[in-house]
Amino acid sequence: MLDIRFIRENPTVLDEALAKRGASPQSATLIALDEQRRAHITKVQEAQSRRNAASKEIGAAMGKGDAATADRLKAEVAEIKFFLSGAETLERKLNDDLNDALARIPNIPAADVPVGPDEHANVVLRNHGSIRNFETTPKEHYELGEALGMMDFERAAKISGSRFTVLSSQLARLERALGQFMLDLHTSEHGYTEINPPLLVNNRTMFGTGQLPKFGDDLFFGASMISRSDQANQVMETCFKPEHKDRIADGESFSKIVSEIFESAPTEEKFWLIPTAEVPMTNLVAGEILSEKELPLRFTALTPCFRSEAGSAGRDTRGMLRQHQFMKVELVSITTPEASKDEHERMTKCAEEVLKRLAIPYRTMVLSTGDMGFGATKTYDIEAWLPGQNAYREISSCSNCGDFQARRMNTRTRASTIDDTRFVHTLNGSGIAVGRALIAVLENYQNADGSITVPEVLRPYMGGVSLIAKAA
């Protein structure tokens, strides 16, 4: 979230930054909301001051026996009290209106971010690794996985729907090995602390990292506290009433009925499935004042991630590239404003090291203003080479969010010799997406007979297995 004081003082800077992101100017609207809020606060303060003064004047008038003046002043105080009785509600609304508007404004891009409308304006920073020459046309990962009998999309669709996958046997083990390898690398060599966070988080946590309120459609709504007997009974009673028989016969209608019940629950009791471990790990320090001596904090986690993929209809419908559920190793850093740029470079190199150890070719991009995420001030994408697609595809995204998330979470830092506090800077990155790493391994290590050579670095995690082949 941006600082309204900064916007008041730099309206042109905000509007120019939004223009770089392809968004319309917002400074005039935000400043108008702020002026309305501040004018109301001033009016309340003046009314309170006048009420206090009039109360003293009433005592003085009564002491003089001036009943007429006392009655007039009492009537004035009564009017002021009536105004103040509704003033708090109005002030809360004006604050909410401003904060809601601010919460929907994206972060300001860093000065060195390339300006452009979309991914076509991204800039390649570096390439690493040699692209392998295959004797035959390389296959895509889903062709390889299905031929091995270890990647099943039909059964996944039967139990869940589209954009899900069932892995089995050595491919399931290979995915697990990738995640464990990444965690070991980041914790033993890169100085990250392993975290096992909750997968369900509340509204406040989603707001803190910028998923809410703007991107609710991209998330999966988990549930309210259905364990509460009254809500559980309400679900059962509603769903099985005779008048709902026709609706219950259809799975979508059943979901709609349950969603209606969940939506009526108190806001604080709603939960969301995490789209990335960035959300719970960054919020570990929400509302805290951290000593600069303990910074940077570096966290990593291997978790399932859940995304609705809203707006991705028709994109990557085959295979595992764009799933509703996938595994990812996440990196999060909490640091001082002075150190965040260097921390961003460091985090990106930590993610790159995963691909170096796997000997998978990749390139690192700096994203343009039109392709960056909502909360980022600068983002590097790492793209792995997929020979089956004959293309580079994103496998990691590392972002510096500056103090954007810290303002939403109210997370500050204080130097031991300084009384004043300031907002920390937060960074997050994929270190890396496990499912996409599996894809990259399958396609880069495929053999002409359809078998997959296991990268050397993963063999200790595979019990010494060096080749994955179809069972005889």
Side-chain angles (χ1 to χ4, degrees), residues 90-250:
L90 178 56
E91 182 177 345
R92 190 181 306 115
K93 181 183 182 303
L94 293 172
N95 280 327
D96 289 345
D97 288 346
L98 176 60
N99 288 332
D100 183 67
L102 286 170
R104 297 173 188 274
I105 304 298
N107 204 351
I108 293 177
D112 58 348
V113 172
V115 177
D118 51 34
E119 68 273 12
H120 299 295
N122 297 345
V123 175
V124 178
L125 291 181
R126 51 187 172 266
N127 288 272
H128 184 273
S130 300
I131 293 175
R132 174 185 167 189
N133 291 318
F134 290 85
E135 295 180 359
T136 59
T137 302
K139 296 179 179 179
E140 294 202 48
H141 69 281
Y142 55 82
E143 298 174 290
L144 296 162
E146 288 178 322
L148 288 168
M150 303 175 192
M151 186 179 292
D152 197 325
F153 298 99
E154 288 187 8
R155 283 180 171 151
K158 178 177 66 176
I159 60 178
S160 296
S162 62
R163 297 192 187 275
F164 290 93
T165 309
V166 173
L167 297 176
S168 61
S169 189
Q170 295 288 40
L171 286 194
R173 187 174 187 178
L174 182 60
E175 184 182 52
R176 174 161 53 91
L178 281 162
Q180 291 176 333
F181 155 66
M182 295 175 199
L183 278 183
D184 286 350
L185 175 63
H186 295 315
T187 55
S188 64
E189 297 188 34
H190 295 158
Y192 288 86
T193 299
E194 183 175 351
I195 302 293
N196 186 357
L199 303 182
L200 287 167
V201 297
N202 56 30
N203 286 4
R204 182 177 61 256
T205 300
M206 282 292 193
F207 176 84
T209 44
Q211 279 73 29
L212 292 178
K214 190 174 178 63
F215 300 103
D217 289 343
D218 295 325
L219 307 171
F220 279 116
F221 178 58
S224 294
M225 292 183 66
I226 192 62
S227 58
R228 283 178 46 177
S229 60
D230 57 341
Q231 291 186 18
N233 290 335
Q234 189 178 4
V235 169
M236 297 299 292
E237 291 173 4
T238 303
C239 292
F240 293 99
K241 284 181 179 179
E243 59 265 33
H244 293 306
K245 182 177 180 180
D246 291 338
R247 296 178 67 190
I248 296 169
D250 179 80

Side-chain angles (χ1 to χ4, degrees), residues 370-428:
D371 199 31
M372 281 198 315
F374 176 78
T377 185
K378 186 175 182 179
T379 298
Y380 294 127
D381 266 12
I382 304 170
E383 299 180 342
W385 174 252
L386 302 185
Q389 290 196 10
N390 193 37
Y392 286 98
R393 297 301 300 268
E394 178 199 339
I395 200 167
S396 172
S397 187
C398 299
S399 296
N400 185 352
C401 296
D403 63 5
F404 188 82
Q405 292 177 329
R407 289 182 181 278
R408 301 170 80 100
M409 299 187 303
N410 192 27
T411 303
R412 299 171 180 265
T413 183
R414 175 190 290 124
S416 58
T417 57
I418 301 175
D419 291 332
D420 291 339
T421 62
R422 53 191 181 144
F423 290 106
V424 298
H425 279 199
T426 64
L427 303 95
N428 63 81

Side-chain angles (χ1 to χ4, degrees), residues 45-66:
Q45 292 172 340
E46 291 173 347
Q48 291 171 334
S49 178
R50 177 55 192 154
R51 177 196 59 191
N52 296 337
S55 296
K56 293 179 181 179
E57 292 173 10
I58 289 172
M62 292 180 67
K64 296 177 181 179
D66 189 351

Side-chain angles (χ1 to χ4, degrees), residues 415-456:
S416 58
T417 57
I418 301 175
D419 291 332
D420 291 339
T421 62
R422 53 191 181 144
F423 290 106
V424 298
H425 279 199
T426 64
L427 303 95
N428 63 81
S430 309
I432 56 179
V434 178
R436 293 198 173 193
L438 176 66
I439 292 170
V441 168
L442 292 179
E443 295 197 8
N444 283 277
Y445 283 86
Q446 62 181 289
N447 301 309
D449 63 357
S451 64
I452 308 296
T453 299
V454 176
E456 288 189 18

Side-chain angles (χ1 to χ4, degrees), residues 230-453:
D230 57 341
Q231 291 186 18
N233 290 335
Q234 189 178 4
V235 169
M236 297 299 292
E237 291 173 4
T238 303
C239 292
F240 293 99
K241 284 181 179 179
E243 59 265 33
H244 293 306
K245 182 177 180 180
D246 291 338
R247 296 178 67 190
I248 296 169
D250 179 80
E252 184 176 354
S253 296
F254 179 83
S255 298
K256 184 177 180 181
I257 295 170
V258 175
S259 294
E260 289 172 358
I261 297 169
F262 288 156
E263 286 295 333
S264 66
T267 301
E268 65 271 18
E269 294 181 345
K270 294 179 182 177
F271 291 91
W272 303 86
L273 289 163
I274 62 168
T276 164
E278 167 205 345
V279 176
M281 287 201 295
T282 306
N283 277 277
L284 287 174
V285 296
E288 297 184 17
I289 298 177
L290 307 170
S291 168
E292 288 192 7
K293 290 183 178 180
E294 58 185 312
L295 300 180
L297 297 174
R298 297 183 178 123
F299 304 131
T300 186
L302 168 63
T303 69
C305 304
F306 307 90
R307 296 183 185 176
S308 71
E309 293 296 341
S312 65
R315 297 175 61 192
D316 300 315
T317 55
R318 295 292 304 274
M320 292 179 57
L321 265 168
R322 199 175 295 275
Q323 299 271 278
H324 289 314
Q325 175 185 318
F326 56 94
M327 300 296 294
K328 182 156 70 79
V329 171
E330 185 72 6
L331 306 174
V332 163
S333 294
I334 314 293
T335 188
T336 61
E338 295 82 9
S340 67
K341 287 185 179 180
D342 288 342
E343 186 70 16
H344 191 200
E345 301 298 327
R346 180 188 189 278
M347 175 181 284
T348 304
K349 286 181 170 58
C350 290
E352 290 177 343
E353 186 62 26
V354 174
L355 294 174
K356 288 180 180 178
R357 301 283 178 99
L358 291 172
I360 291 173
Y362 70 87
R363 68 183 185 184
T364 301
M365 319 279 290
V366 58
L367 298 193
S368 71
T369 54
D371 199 31
M372 281 198 315
F374 176 78
T377 185
K378 186 175 182 179
T379 298
Y380 294 127
D381 266 12
I382 304 170
E383 299 180 342
W385 174 252
L386 302 185
Q389 290 196 10
N390 193 37
Y392 286 98
R393 297 301 300 268
E394 178 199 339
I395 200 167
S396 172
S397 187
C398 299
S399 296
N400 185 352
C401 296
D403 63 5
F404 188 82
Q405 292 177 329
R407 289 182 181 278
R408 301 170 80 100
M409 299 187 303
N410 192 27
T411 303
R412 299 171 180 265
T413 183
R414 175 190 290 124
S416 58
T417 57
I418 301 175
D419 291 332
D420 291 339
T421 62
R422 53 191 181 144
F423 290 106
V424 298
H425 279 199
T426 64
L427 303 95
N428 63 81
S430 309
I432 56 179
V434 178
R436 293 198 173 193
L438 176 66
I439 292 170
V441 168
L442 292 179
E443 295 197 8
N444 283 277
Y445 283 86
Q446 62 181 289
N447 301 309
D449 63 357
S451 64
I452 308 296
T453 299

